Amino acid sequence: MIRLNLNTKKNLTIGVMVLAISVFIYAFTSAENETEKQESGMAALPVEVAKPIFENITEWDEYTGRFEASSKVEVRARVSGFLEKVNFQDGELVKKGQTLFVIDQRPYRIALDEAKANYAQALASLKTAQDNFDRVESLRETGALSIEEYDRRKQALVHAEASIQLAQAKVDNAKLNLEFTEVKAPISGLVSRDRVNEGNIIDGGSANSTVLTTIVATSPIHFYFTGSESDYLKYVRLARNGERGEARSEALPVFIKLLDEDQFVHEAVMDFVDNEIDNNSGTIESRAVLENKDHLLEPGMYGKARLLGSAEHKAMMVPDEIIGTNQSIRYIYTLSDDNQVVSKAVTLGPLHSNGLRIVRGGISPDDKVIVNNLQKIRPGMVVSPSQVAIQGEVNNLTAVAQAD
């Protein structure tokens, strides 16, 4: 029997291991070479390329806001009493001056009759005082009447004249209270429900009077939104440079879309910018006004507004969907002269009104950007390109920009 010493066993083991590693490296290298041969034999991946759109544009800024009624009132009675009648249907459109509620008029008719009777008494007293004074007026010149008697009758006449004025004021007040028993709509608009039903006693004539209902005017309707201090400064400087209208003095166009709409189809004009920056939020409030003849828009609804945010300038634009993201880096795949894929980091601006993304930097107008098969390509890959053109959306905002 052959016996191997310890050193011989170690050398044999090492040799076996070296042989196994060599075989593995050879097999892996052969497989990799075979894969490269197969890939080199395959056709290049077809892709579509296009040059960025490079043209004069005006940018639009977007803000989220809420609709509010152009006018809103709480309807309260100006006199107290028994609510006798409600003259409207909940939620209907009412006209200014339309009678909404009727308060029991009988106590106020009685008060008016009483005031008229007092006025008649005062008128009779004035006639008597006037006659008494006329009779002593001629006697004063002859000295047949004392000065005291003359002054007494003159004061009686003055008192009667004042009494007639007081009685007339009470008649006018009674007429007014009787008129106030018919609670009329102070504005035209949509009325809410009746908050007090017929048969109830209501308070009137004070700030704490019973609220009977509310009315909102929704045609026209207001749209309120807020912008940052930096936005405000940008707009002011653009206006001073003559590159944009003055928000406080010119009816600048504003375009609004609702939550279920894809386009900014509602046209408005800006008619108000607040007079100070809010200390807590650092924002300033603005308002746009728009017609609402079909009453589609309701107070409290949300919307998104676009308004002119820059002067006309040259800009590059590409479809938003071709822009990739690697953590905080945004990139676009472009094509080199030898048809290799190149990744370029880009600086982006906002979406333009045509639906394309504005690119501030990172590519040039002559670059060929890849617009399809983006999930199948990687930097350094050789591809087979075909030329296409980028198309943007056409809507009311792009039409306005072209007209400007």
Side-chain angles (χ1 to χ4, degrees), residues 67-72 188-189 216-223 267-269 271 288-295 297 299:
F67 291 96
E68 292 188 14
S70 55
S71 182
K72 178 180 179 180
S188 298
V216 293
T218 59
S219 181
I221 194 169
H222 291 160
F223 182 80
E267 297 186 17
V269 293
D271 73 331
V289 59
L290 63 160
E291 293 295 331
N292 187 30
K293 294 181 179 179
D294 59 355
H295 298 286
L297 308 174

Side-chain angles (χ1 to χ4, degrees), residues 235-292:
Y235 298 144
V236 170
R237 299 190 189 283
L238 287 173
R240 291 184 177 179
N241 294 333
E243 299 172 336
R244 182 181 185 268
E246 171 58 50
R248 285 194 172 97
S249 60
E250 301 181 33
L252 300 181
V254 178
F255 298 88
I256 302 173
K257 73 173 182 178
L258 305 181
L259 294 181
D260 63 342
E261 295 174 339
D262 297 325
Q263 300 294 333
F264 292 79
V265 296
H266 304 280
E267 297 186 17
V269 293
M270 186 178 295
D271 73 331
F272 166 77
V273 178
D274 210 350
N275 58 358
E276 63 179 356
I277 304 291
D278 185 87
N279 289 332
N280 297 322
S281 63
T283 60
I284 188 168
E285 186 177 58
S286 300
R287 181 181 70 201
V289 59
L290 63 160
E291 293 295 331
N292 187 30

Side-chain angles (χ1 to χ4, degrees), residues 204-224:
S206 70
N208 296 322
S209 298
T210 307
V211 177
L212 303 178
T213 189
T214 59
I215 303 175
V216 293
T218 59
S219 181
I221 194 169
H222 291 160
F223 182 80
Y224 286 90

Side-chain angles (χ1 to χ4, degrees), residues 171-242:
V171 171
D172 293 340
N173 184 64
K175 286 182 178 178
L176 197 58
N177 286 336
L178 180 60
E179 181 181 337
F180 287 158
T181 59
E182 294 184 352
V183 182
K184 298 181 179 181
I187 62 172
S188 298
L190 291 174
V191 67
S192 181
R193 62 180 177 86
D194 57 324
R195 299 191 181 182
V196 181
N197 304 125
E198 298 174 357
N200 287 283
I201 301 294
I202 61 173
D203 293 326
S206 70
N208 296 322
S209 298
T210 307
V211 177
L212 303 178
T213 189
T214 59
I215 303 175
V216 293
T218 59
S219 181
I221 194 169
H222 291 160
F223 182 80
Y224 286 90
F225 59 96
T226 57
S228 65
E229 182 178 347
S230 59
D231 289 341
Y232 173 78
L233 290 173
K234 179 181 73 170
Y235 298 144
V236 170
R237 299 190 189 283
L238 287 173
R240 291 184 177 179
N241 294 333

